Amino acid sequence: MLAQDLLVLLREWWKIGRKQGVMHPDGWLFPGQHYLKPVSTRHIHRIAAEAAHAAGITKRVGPHTLRHSFATHLLEDGVDVRIIQVLLGHAQLQTTTLYTRVATRTVKAVVSPLDRLGMFPASQGSPPG
């Protein structure tokens, strides 16, 4: 899933790079040491770690952290876990549900079906008993 704003930015990156001669027509959008080879996974990991450090994040961060955060944000925004399963390319729903344990805002937002009945008005405090 690619955000439309990011797609516009990447297209502009490509156009400017081509005009300046730094992007080869047959090369990669993010080339490695040679324009016909993509940037290495090791370098991507290093970029993520450096960005986290620059942002003041002290925990260990890598590309998978971004994927995990993406899934967690979608869950917290109410996106169905089966949709997230498809977006992440998981074959089994069980793999996707691992992300639900960290979506604490989603868990806290769940309202008990008993509370939905409105049997005990909130202004009266606890039910007698």
Side-chain angles (χ1 to χ4, degrees), residues 46-69:
R46 205 170 328 148
I47 290 168
E50 288 174 8
H53 179 74
I57 298 170
T58 57
K59 290 186 176 186
R60 189 173 172 199
V61 173
H64 191 79
T65 309
L66 300 175
R67 176 181 168 85
H68 192 79
S69 298

Side-chain angles (χ1 to χ4, degrees), residues 2-121:
L2 183 65
Q4 288 299 310
D5 289 345
L6 182 55
L7 179 60
V8 169
L9 184 65
L10 291 173
R11 283 183 174 150
E12 194 62 26
W13 163 278
W14 180 254
K15 287 177 193 174
I16 291 171
R18 295 270 320 269
K19 282 182 184 175
Q20 293 178 353
V22 294
M23 293 285 194
H24 192 275
D26 297 326
W28 289 82
L29 181 61
F30 299 104
Q33 290 186 359
H34 187 273
Y35 70 90
L36 289 177
K37 293 187 178 182
V39 65
S40 70
T41 55
R42 182 178 173 151
H43 190 69
I44 290 172
H45 197 284
R46 205 170 328 148
I47 290 168
E50 288 174 8
H53 179 74
I57 298 170
T58 57
K59 290 186 176 186
R60 189 173 172 199
V61 173
H64 191 79
T65 309
L66 300 175
R67 176 181 168 85
H68 192 79
S69 298
F70 172 76
T72 302
H73 282 292
L74 289 176
L75 271 170
E76 289 180 343
D77 287 343
V79 175
D80 188 285
V81 71
R82 292 167 300 209
I83 300 292
I84 298 169
Q85 174 190 3
V86 171
L87 290 172
L88 296 179
H90 292 158
Q92 298 198 0
L93 185 60
Q94 186 177 9
T95 307
T96 311
T97 58
L98 294 173
Y99 293 103
T100 60
R101 65 187 163 144
V102 294
T104 55
R105 193 169 47 177
T106 302
V107 173
K108 288 179 182 177
V110 174
V111 176
S112 165
L114 183 60
D115 288 337
R116 291 184 188 270
L117 294 176
M119 294 172 53
F120 307 108

Side-chain angles (χ1 to χ4, degrees), residues 120 124-129:
F120 307 108
Q124 293 180 358
S126 301

